[in-house]
Amino acid sequence: MKPLHFSLLLLLCLSRTDHGLGRNSGHDQSKCILLEADKGSTLKVFHISSPCSPLRPKTKNPVSWEESVVQTLSEDRARVTYLSSLVVFGKSDSQVAWGRQLIQSPTYIVRVSVGSPPQSFLMAVDTSNDAAWLPCSGCLGCSAGVGSSLFASDKSSSFAGISCGTSQCSKVTSSTCSQNLCTFNQTYGSSTISSTLSQDTITLAQDTIPGYLFGCIQKATGSSVPPQGLLGLGRGPLSLLSQTQSLYKSTFSYCLPSSKSPNFSGSLRLGPVAQPQRMFYTPLLTNPKRPFLYYVNLLGIKVGSKIVDIPPDALAFNPTTGAGTVIDSGTVYTRLVEPAYIAVRDEFRRRMGKAVVSSLGGFDTCYTAPTTIPSITFMFQGLNMTLPQDNFLLRSASTSSNLACLAIASAPNNVNSVLNIIANMQQQNHRVFFDVPHSRLGIARETCT
Ligand SMILES: *[C@@H]1O[C@H](CO)[C@@H](O)[C@H](O)[C@H]1NC(C)=O
Ligand SMILES: *[C@@H]1O[C@H](CO)[C@@H](O)[C@H](O)[C@H]1NC(C)=O
Ligand SMILES: *[C@@H]1O[C@H](CO)[C@@H](O)[C@H](O)[C@H]1NC(C)=O
């Protein structure tokens, strides 16, 4: 059977209740759509809380908008704390994602086929990780939910476990040998995940990649094991980018759909073909200690027409301390180090005049039915990104409360944080083009379809 048949899938609505961000609970009239096969080198990207997402959290009592915001912020905090600690306290090993902690925030997912004949899986897209993994059959402690089955490696004729002492195994930090196979542990939240380094053919849209290396999860202990796989898009020695160098030339772009759009579909375009020809770019910077992260040079932030007065070292890139700004697909709300956040927030509040400020979870700048709202512009080297309101104002789904919050937060102050993170809400409905060979990142507005 051709791989194509496997990506032609009808995703069934699994739940009639709705608790996606920004949607009305209990009034889900959306019809789940027939997903057409992914074509060429472009994969459809879905928001995890899409009505058609099999991974949409299923709870008996749908959470309120306020609760879901607080919950997302707290999940974000764990990721931000992890990314911050990674750049500040870490040792200078570059294979961190493959041998240590693993943080996966599955906000955006794609469908990937693995094996011969191909088996279809959902995988989280994560630009700050260079690892890939799948829960495998026989896994102890993995949860196989609906739409998130385990990979049956024994049914794939092209599957192979990687032996100890191979060059591939040596790239994994702190691997151990188990029955002559290269195994490694990672922590995910409060859980420990034990995987075998493995290889098999994967199919991304219509592209077939033989011998792709990933972690086949054999054992998971703990309660926070995510049900789906991970497709890391970071740069690194075992990353997707490195493994598909001849095919995709370390280039990709995505358009992340808004969680508010009814169809929630965006795209992940792999390789140099069909990328935007004309757009503004900002240089990609490399921290030699954490080469898989995508650092950019954020020079300043404008609120309305005013360039906010931010201490220069709150934004400056410093590969020694890890300070600077990364662009990340897995964090939901942009985090700025405290002095930068306070300067932006104070100017935003000043522009809002006498309107009464309230707070919600970690957001401290919320208004009821705000009217004139100043714009926000990230001033990157070579590129000013003026955010449409939907990219920085989080509006309550319920018309009765009419609350709107500035959806940018201060980096958690329990870590000695030096990292600013441009997160996915701020990138939604933009084409973001990672052009690694030219060390540049392009950003242009685009309505994701
Ligand atoms: C990996 O985790 C398993 C438990 O899942 C444990 O038995 C094993 O000792 C760990 N290996 C290493 C190298 O930490
Ligand atoms: C959603 O998808 C359906 C079916 O593909 C399409 O007809 C409709 O126009 C889409 N709606 C939006 C807002 O894109
Ligand atoms: C960005 O905006 C600033 C301030 O308005 C301006 O000085 C600068 O030239 C702009 N940069 C680009 C690349 O357009």
Side-chain angles (χ1 to χ4, degrees):
M1 196 175 307
K2 289 206 182 71
L4 194 58
H5 294 157
F6 282 82
S7 41
L8 184 68
L9 286 164
L10 177 63
L11 286 187
L12 300 170
C13 250
L14 298 166
S15 159
R16 300 302 301 170
T17 51
D18 183 86
H19 19 239
L21 274 181
R23 296 183 64 83
N24 295 319
S25 295
H27 294 93
D28 185 9
Q29 283 113 33
S30 55
K31 291 173 189 68
C32 283
I33 51 168
L34 178 70
L35 299 185
E36 287 165 21
D38 287 330
K39 297 204 181 72
S41 304
T42 301
L43 287 78
K44 286 192 175 58
V45 174
F46 288 89
H47 195 280
I48 190 121
S49 56
S50 149
C52 292
S53 165
L55 299 176
R56 199 163 64 132
K58 283 178 274 295
T59 53
K60 292 267 173 353
N61 305 307
V63 297
S64 68
W65 177 78
E66 286 79 5
E67 284 168 326
S68 73
V69 169
V70 170
Q71 191 184 321
T72 305
L73 265 168
S74 112
E75 286 162 12
D76 252 15
R77 195 169 300 124
R79 182 178 176 89
V80 170
T81 303
Y82 167 64
L83 289 176
S84 301
S85 68
L86 192 63
V87 302
V88 180
F89 304 113
K91 299 197 192 79
S92 61
D93 63 284
S94 57
Q95 291 95 30
V96 128
W98 280 89
R100 294 186 175 202
Q101 193 171 15
L102 176 78
I103 287 279
Q104 179 196 3
S105 307
T107 317
Y108 289 102
I109 48 177
V110 292
R111 219 169 245 287
V112 174
S113 294
V114 184
S116 315
Q119 304 170 34
S120 179
F121 299 96
L122 298 165
M123 291 179 134
V125 173
D126 186 344
T127 55
S128 296
N129 207 317
D130 57 1
W133 61 253
L134 261 182
C136 287
S137 60
C139 171
L140 299 170
C142 289
S143 56
V146 185
S148 57
S149 50
L150 304 174
F151 174 56
S153 56
D154 55 342
K155 298 213 168 67
S156 171
S157 61
S158 46
F159 177 85
I162 302 296
S163 303
C164 309
T166 55
S167 61
Q168 295 107 314
C169 188
S170 68
K171 290 183 180 142
V172 176
T173 313
S174 36
S175 63
T176 52
C177 207
S178 171
Q179 294 168 334
N180 200 34
L181 290 174
C182 182
T183 61
F184 57 99
N185 283 356
Q186 293 163 305
T187 59
Y188 171 77
S190 57
S191 303
T192 300
I193 290 168
S194 200
S195 308
T196 303
L197 187 63
S198 304
Q199 68 182 163
D200 205 340
T201 300
I202 64 164
T203 306
L204 299 170
Q206 289 175 306
D207 297 329
T208 298
I209 298 143
Y212 183 69
L213 287 163
F214 61 96
C216 200
I217 301 179
Q218 308 293 352
K219 189 176 173 190
T221 47
S223 55
S224 48
V225 184
Q228 74 284 351
L230 170 73
L231 192 66
L233 291 176
R235 304 173 272 187
L238 287 179
S239 64
L240 175 73
L241 266 55
S242 300
Q243 293 194 52
T244 58
Q245 179 55 37
S246 57
L247 184 61
Y248 298 138
K249 322 277 186 223
S250 294
T251 53
F252 67 94
S253 72
Y254 56 61
C255 189
L256 303 177
S258 160
S259 53
K260 280 200 257 177
S261 74
N263 287 346
F264 295 103
S265 165
S267 63
L268 170 65
R269 210 177 276 160
L270 297 162
V273 177
Q275 297 297 357
Q277 293 304 302
R278 297 182 53 171
M279 65 195 316
F280 289 103
Y281 294 96
T282 188
L284 280 174
L285 311 176
T286 306
N287 176 349
K289 287 187 199 158
R290 298 290 174 253
F292 53 89
L293 294 175
Y294 294 106
Y295 277 87
V296 288
N297 194 2
L298 180 63
L299 300 171
I301 299 173
K302 270 198 289 189
V303 175
S305 56
K306 173 150 195 237
I307 300 174
V308 177
D309 192 12
I310 298 173
D313 65 356
L315 299 181
F317 173 62
N318 181 339
T320 308
T321 62
T325 304
V326 296
I327 187 146
D328 179 39
S329 66
T331 309
V332 180
Y333 304 117
T334 288
R335 299 280 182 155
L336 300 174
V337 298
E338 205 167 34
Y341 175 70
I342 288 171
V344 169
R345 178 200 69 185
D346 288 353
E347 181 59 21
F348 190 86
R349 287 183 178 177
R350 204 181 63 77
R351 298 254 165 177
M352 294 301 289
K354 295 201 172 66
V356 178
V357 180
S358 60
S359 67
L360 173 65
F363 293 134
D364 63 4
T365 301
C366 304
Y367 297 92
T368 303
T371 46
T372 47
I373 295 146
S375 64
I376 292 195
T377 303
F378 292 135
M379 297 164 60
F380 298 109
Q381 181 186 343
L383 155 70
N384 286 338
M385 180 188 193
T386 297
L387 300 176
Q389 262 182 31
D390 279 348
N391 290 86
F392 67 84
L393 208 63
L394 188 65
R395 290 180 188 274
S396 163
S398 98
T399 46
S400 56
S401 86
N402 249 329
L403 199 69
C405 296
L406 175 63
I408 296 178
S410 178
N413 50 18
N414 56 341
V415 286
N416 184 18
S417 186
V418 294
L419 196 64
N420 302 292
I421 300 171
I422 306 296
N424 64 42
M425 177 184 176
Q426 280 63 41
Q427 299 174 51
Q428 286 171 357
N429 285 312
H430 286 81
R431 174 68 46 190
V432 182
F433 177 31
F434 294 77
D435 185 357
V436 176
H438 298 106
S439 294
R440 59 183 190 172
L441 179 87
I443 302 178
R445 280 195 202 175
E446 180 180 317
T447 305
C448 305
T449 50

